[in-house]
Amino acid sequence: MSPSSNPSPGLASFTPSPFSSLQIGNTAMPNPVTQPTLNRTPSPTILTSTPTATTLIPTPVNTIPTPTATLAPTTPNPTPIPTPTRTPISTPVSTPVPTPVPTPISTPLPTLVPTPISTPIPTPMPTPIPTPVPTPAKETIWISTIVSRMSSIQFDDPASPQRQALDWMLQDPYTLALDNVDRVVQRFALAALYFAMDGPTTVGLRGWVESSNECDWGITRDVECNGQSFVDWVGLCCKSITGSVPKEVGLLTALSHLDLYNNEIAGVLSTELGLLSGLTYLTLSGNKLEGTIPSELGRLVGLSLLSLFTNRLQGTIPTELGLVKSLTRFSLYDNNFGGSIPTEVGLLRALTYVSMWGNDLSGTLPTELGQLNALTYLSLYNNNLSGTLPTEVGRISALERLSLAGSNLHGTIPTEIGLWTELSSLSLRANTGLSGRLPTELSNLVHLEELFLTDTPQLSGSISSSLCDAKLTRAEIVCSEIECECCTSWNGSPCGS
């Protein structure tokens, strides 16, 4: 609307609001809430006027707060108020006002405490132990050590048990890691024993020659050791083992028990067995061994049992065995031994059991047998002995079983047999040269249960009824020559029937 120089009475007087514009920085901004202040007087004339449009600029959000406009109160004025000259107000040009960029407030940032992340701790991987690698130097050292203890060992033949044992050791991590030369020698001896007895093809030797402590070899605890981890027991009974017993077994110097009973082992007994000074138990019975008993066994002064029965051994019984004074059991039966029974047997005072039947022994019974006061069992039947039954044998007061059947004895039966008060079995059958009357002292054998006198046609006399009333349950005699109430003939027919 254009302003008039003569304002009409009653026209509303326009007074700019004190907040018509705002100063922001160096820029004047119109107040978005600007409204005119109206002073109204009653007038009959109503004028219609079109107010000048004011451009509204939106106030930026979150910037400077906008002051609130205050409207002036309307006061009635009865006296006309002159209208001041109005200066034309030009319409502001809509010029884009740059949006003020708020000044960032330097607010200290809170210190962030990192939340610990629960990360699983990885399981430490074990450090791999390097596998020892065999060296030519180690092989040389081992060979030198082994040969220093047994000079006869050779390693030239690649197929020999000795070379096979050494080659295995040079590839075995457990052996390569050992720093105890005695243990190395021990493993060599056992490995040589394994290969000599056809171990790779023998079921009975499963569990041998493994990369583990040799004290645990064998599926049936074939090997046992003492507290110092040295082998003192090798037990391989009844395993159908073939091959032979190598001399390297003599390197097991802590061995006290060697049992190879009832196999198919061939070959000979090595002289190196005499190196086993701690041996107390040696049985190689029930095999196919040949050759002789080495005299070196006389060095086994602690030996208690020597059992070599049922083999193919021959030769004579070495006199050196008389040095083994700890011997209690001595079994050589069912072989091919010849020669005489050495008198040195009388030195073995600890003997309780002697069995040498089924050989080709000759000569007379040594009188030194009478010194074996602890002897309870003596079996010499089926040999080619000669001579008489010496009276000295009557001194063997502990004797319980005596068999001299088929031994070509002759002469009379000495009265000293009446001293065998503990005797339970007596066999003198098939000694056709025995003659004379039975000694009456026979009735003193109150514990006698078995008596065999068949095939002794030159014997005569009688057997006391007191023996029949005691324990005698089986008595075979020549009924035509000897009187007995409880006896039978060789075929079981009662005498007198």
Side-chain angles (χ1 to χ4, degrees), residues 429-450:
R429 65 178 179 82
N431 283 285
T432 57
L434 289 177
S435 59
R437 293 185 63 84
L438 294 176
T440 57
E441 287 78 6
L442 192 63
S443 61
N444 295 337
L445 309 183
V446 294
H447 295 289
L448 194 64
E449 299 175 4
E450 298 176 337

Side-chain angles (χ1 to χ4, degrees), residues 260-265 284-289 309-311:
L260 302 177
Y261 168 68
N262 196 21
N263 286 289
E264 297 179 24
I265 300 171
L284 297 168
S285 302
N287 285 286
K288 299 177 180 179
L289 296 172
F309 67 81
T310 311
N311 277 288

Side-chain angles (χ1 to χ4, degrees), residues 234-459:
V234 174
L236 295 171
C237 166
C238 316
K239 290 180 175 288
S240 301
I241 296 172
T242 57
S244 60
V245 181
K247 57 188 173 184
E248 286 73 21
V249 72
L251 293 172
L252 302 174
T253 54
L255 197 63
S256 65
H257 185 108
L258 179 58
D259 183 359
L260 302 177
Y261 168 68
N262 196 21
N263 286 289
E264 297 179 24
I265 300 171
V268 300
L269 295 174
S270 65
T271 59
E272 285 77 10
L273 286 171
L275 299 175
L276 303 176
S277 58
L279 201 62
T280 61
Y281 186 102
L282 175 60
T283 175
L284 297 168
S285 302
N287 285 286
K288 299 177 180 179
L289 296 172
E290 298 178 343
T292 62
I293 297 177
S295 60
E296 286 78 4
L297 293 188
R299 300 175 184 173
L300 306 180
V301 294
L303 195 63
S304 175
L305 180 143
L306 177 58
S307 182
L308 301 174
F309 67 81
T310 311
N311 277 288
R312 301 169 183 175
L313 297 170
Q314 56 188 350
T316 59
I317 299 172
T319 59
E320 288 80 2
L321 290 180
L323 301 174
V324 189
K325 297 182 180 180
S326 58
L327 200 61
T328 60
R329 295 179 66 87
F330 186 38
S331 249
L332 301 180
Y333 67 83
D334 194 20
N335 278 287
N336 298 312
F337 291 114
S340 61
I341 299 173
T343 59
E344 286 78 7
V345 70
L347 300 174
L348 306 177
R349 306 293 178 83
L351 275 176
T352 61
Y353 181 100
V354 174
S355 182
M356 293 188 287
W357 62 263
N359 283 284
D360 196 23
L361 296 173
S362 59
T364 61
L365 291 174
T367 59
E368 287 77 9
L369 287 173
Q371 301 175 18
L372 305 181
N373 296 325
L375 192 64
T376 61
Y377 185 99
L378 177 59
S379 181
L380 298 172
Y381 73 88
N382 286 356
N383 279 287
N384 288 319
L385 298 173
S386 59
T388 62
L389 184 61
T391 59
E392 287 80 3
V393 296
R395 301 174 184 171
I396 311 175
S397 58
L399 199 60
E400 296 177 4
R401 300 181 71 87
L402 173 62
S403 179
L404 297 173
S407 296
N408 295 326
L409 297 176
H410 63 269
T412 60
I413 298 175
T415 59
E416 283 78 7
I417 68 170
L419 300 175
W420 297 335
T421 56
E422 300 298 324
L423 198 68
S424 62
S425 178
L426 174 61
S427 178
L428 298 175
R429 65 178 179 82
N431 283 285
T432 57
L434 289 177
S435 59
R437 293 185 63 84
L438 294 176
T440 57
E441 287 78 6
L442 192 63
S443 61
N444 295 337
L445 309 183
V446 294
H447 295 289
L448 194 64
E449 299 175 4
E450 298 176 337
L451 176 62
F452 302 98
L453 297 176
T454 55
D455 297 327
T456 54
Q458 299 187 59
L459 286 177

Side-chain angles (χ1 to χ4, degrees), residues 120-145:
I121 301 174
T123 303
M125 297 296 291
T127 303
I129 301 175
T131 302
V133 178
T135 62
K138 179 158 287 191
E139 178 178 353
T140 302
I141 292 172
W142 284 356
I143 290 176
S144 176
T145 301

Side-chain angles (χ1 to χ4, degrees), residues 21-140:
S21 64
L22 296 177
Q23 185 78 20
I24 299 177
N26 296 323
T27 305
M29 298 182 62
N31 189 346
V33 199
T34 302
Q35 294 182 0
T37 303
L38 300 178
N39 293 326
R40 298 181 182 274
T41 58
S43 175
T45 305
I46 300 174
L47 298 178
T48 303
S49 60
T50 302
T52 304
T54 304
T55 303
L56 299 180
I57 300 173
T59 303
V61 181
N62 295 332
T63 57
I64 301 174
T66 304
T68 305
T70 304
L71 296 178
T74 304
T75 304
N77 188 0
T79 305
I81 300 174
T83 303
T85 301
R86 301 178 61 182
T87 303
I89 302 173
S90 59
T91 303
V93 180
S94 178
T95 304
V97 179
T99 302
V101 179
T103 304
I105 301 173
S106 177
T107 303
L109 296 176
T111 303
L112 298 179
V113 179
T115 303
I117 301 174
S118 177
T119 303
I121 301 174
T123 303
M125 297 296 291
T127 303
I129 301 175
T131 302
V133 178
T135 62
K138 179 158 287 191
E139 178 178 353
T140 302

